[in-house]
Amino acid sequence: MMIARAPIKLDILKLIDRLEIAVQLRESHFREFKSAFEGRPQEKTMRSVKDICVDIAQTLVAFANADGGELLVGVEDDGTVSGLNAFSEEKLAALIAAPRTHVHQDTPLPSHRADTIVFKGKMILYFSIPKGTTFVYLTSDGRCLQRKDLESVPISSESIRFSRTEIVSREYD
């Protein structure tokens, strides 16, 4: 007698492997962690959803204006998984929508991935985004950011346009 088994979601297994590696490697030019908590280690409180949404948008805009990258929300800078378990479904939905709601409507982000996943027993959000080429991407308040090493830094949209044009022109030289 054969027992029917649910199909294994290979994509989720690959993502869990990717998260394991990301936490070990820590933050980089292509990877950012964002905590959902603030305060001293023994006195942590939940950050506001609005502030986390701003962080998500700023980070994804900076990645899209640079070389792409991935963002893990619910992970501390040191790689500790603190999770988002204290957040309601409504708050999680707002965080997942941040790439739409907190990015300028005239510069929608290139196709990005957004997943909620249980990792090390805690719920986290995983975002990944490719390098953007269609627009110079802006946050909803008009800020232009680009990823430089471990930071998302303000940059003029003209600088990004010039850099992209220079790269294209070198292909023909």
Side-chain angles (χ1 to χ4, degrees), residues 102-156:
H102 287 73
V103 171
H104 199 281
Q105 64 184 6
D106 293 338
T107 64
L109 292 173
S111 65
H112 64 278
R113 178 178 182 168
D115 289 309
T116 45
I117 188 163
V118 176
F119 178 63
K120 296 191 176 190
K122 297 184 179 163
M123 172 86 59
I124 66 166
L125 295 180
Y126 173 82
F127 295 92
S128 67
I129 190 160
K131 176 180 184 168
T133 56
T134 310
F135 300 105
V136 173
Y137 302 93
L138 306 172
T139 60
S140 59
D141 62 357
R143 294 184 65 216
C144 184
L145 302 161
Q146 188 177 52
R147 188 71 173 187
K148 298 280 186 190
D149 295 323
L150 299 178
E151 297 180 330
S152 298
V153 297
I155 188 169
S156 70

Side-chain angles (χ1 to χ4, degrees), residues 42-60:
Q42 305 304 330
E43 302 168 1
K44 295 260 184 197
T45 58
M46 285 177 34
R47 294 177 60 211
S48 77
V49 170
K50 180 181 176 186
D51 289 346
I52 299 170
C53 284
V54 167
D55 283 349
I56 291 168
Q58 288 179 353
T59 302
L60 295 180

Side-chain angles (χ1 to χ4, degrees), residues 3-13:
I3 299 174
R5 295 179 187 224
I8 297 174
K9 295 185 178 182
L10 292 177
D11 194 41
I12 294 212
L13 293 176

